[in-house]
Amino acid sequence: MRIARFSIDGNVAFGAVEEGPEGPVLDIIKGIPYADFELSGVKVPLGKVRLLPPVIGNKIVAFGRNYADHAKELGNEPADVPWAFFKPTTSMVGDGDPIEYPSFSNELHHEAELAVVIGRMCREVPRERVKDVIFGYTCANDVTARDVQKREKQWARAKGFDSSCPIGPWVETELDPSDLAIQCTVNGEQRQLGSTSQMIHSIEDLIVNITEAMTLLPGDVILTGTPAGVGPLNVGDEVAVTIQGIGTLTNKVIKRG
């Protein structure tokens, strides 16, 4: 099932994406989707809503250097153990929302990633129970001010600025994430093409690792790393992240103003 979060006429709701006779529709969900929920039967055309980030998370945990070729293209060693950092929830924007080019950077890069959405409160999750705590999967773009990342030697501003985490367009709850194609295009030109099978540390590795240290809550997001091919974004560019079995997340870069 595909679960989207959206706004229409000033109201915000979750809905299940379905194919209607005249195109995709959203069947509005009663309540929130992380627990047992019911579909209301009230349906609105997908084309008449604004898609929002599909989760209301408390935190975004991202993992760096989890694809060997990406680490090497930036002159780094791949991570021998999972290497976590954080992006604030204020960095999230949805499908179709702009990425605002930060005034303190001159080198903005795209990073297409598979995002894991947590479905229940959990801590110290054993490997065999990881699937039980996952709600689903979505597309993400770990937008990075590369020059700031290099200059400041830590990643809070470089990866945490407002609009640096586009995510969406929805969460796919029924998916095998072990071998999914990940693609990024800029203005229609392919920049990244890889597979989740290239991850150094699996999704199980990442969730076991982070829950050894902290509690995850429903709606929290895990970014799993990016394949090789990262590159520059400029004002006016349209960047699209497509993940097999999920869909496409598209955002345009604008000047912060």
Side-chain angles (χ1 to χ4, degrees):
M1 181 178 290
R2 290 179 171 176
I3 305 295
R5 180 170 163 262
F6 65 94
S7 66
I8 184 170
D9 298 330
N11 298 307
V12 175
F14 289 93
V17 183
E18 301 176 354
E19 194 61 40
E22 298 181 2
V25 297
L26 290 161
D27 192 335
I28 296 176
I29 289 172
K30 295 180 181 179
I32 59 174
Y34 305 121
D36 292 336
F37 64 86
E38 296 181 11
L39 298 176
S40 68
V42 178
K43 301 182 181 184
V44 294
L46 183 63
K48 291 189 176 182
V49 308
R50 178 192 170 202
L51 290 175
L52 303 172
V55 299
I56 310 173
N58 294 276
K59 53 187 169 292
I60 303 166
V61 182
F63 285 89
R65 302 181 186 176
N66 198 29
Y67 287 74
D69 287 347
H70 166 61
K72 292 175 181 177
E73 72 180 344
L74 296 181
N76 299 312
E77 290 297 321
D80 56 352
V81 295
W83 186 353
F85 62 96
F86 293 94
K87 294 171 78 81
T89 55
T90 48
S91 68
M92 282 198 298
V93 292
D95 181 60
D97 289 336
I99 298 167
E100 297 184 355
Y101 204 117
S103 58
F104 55 85
S105 173
N106 293 306
E107 188 183 3
L108 203 64
H109 279 195
H110 56 80
E111 294 192 8
E113 307 206 6
L114 175 70
V116 181
V117 179
I118 298 300
R120 62 178 65 180
M121 185 170 68
C122 57
R123 187 179 68 171
E124 297 184 351
V125 180
R127 181 174 299 275
E128 64 272 15
R129 296 295 303 275
V130 164
K131 290 182 180 179
D132 296 340
V133 307
I134 294 174
F135 176 64
Y137 306 88
T138 190
C139 307
N141 192 345
D142 178 21
V143 182
T144 302
R146 192 70 69 198
D147 52 344
V148 178
Q149 183 187 27
K150 294 174 182 176
R151 183 172 66 244
E152 297 185 355
K153 307 302 181 184
Q154 55 79 38
W155 300 355
R157 294 209 311 158
K159 287 179 173 283
F161 61 89
D162 291 353
S163 77
S164 66
C165 190
I167 185 169
W170 41 63
V171 177
E172 173 57 66
T173 63
E174 299 176 14
L175 191 67
D176 178 355
S178 60
D179 187 13
L180 302 175
I182 302 178
Q183 177 180 251
C184 179
T185 64
V186 177
N187 302 325
E189 177 186 350
Q190 182 175 289
R191 294 278 190 84
Q192 293 180 267
L193 182 62
S195 169
T196 56
S197 65
Q198 299 168 321
M199 287 183 192
I200 298 170
H201 305 290
S202 68
I203 290 170
E204 288 81 6
D205 294 334
L206 303 182
I207 291 179
V208 168
N209 174 270
I210 199 63
T211 61
E212 286 177 338
M214 68 190 65
T215 300
L216 298 181
L217 300 174
D220 282 351
V221 175
I222 309 293
L223 302 187
T224 58
T226 192
V230 301
L233 291 172
N234 298 299
V235 172
D237 285 346
E238 183 177 83
V239 56
V241 174
T242 301
I243 299 181
Q244 180 183 359
I246 299 175
T248 299
L249 167 70
T250 304
N251 303 89
K252 190 167 184 177
V253 183
I254 67 170
K255 183 179 180 180
R256 177 177 286 184

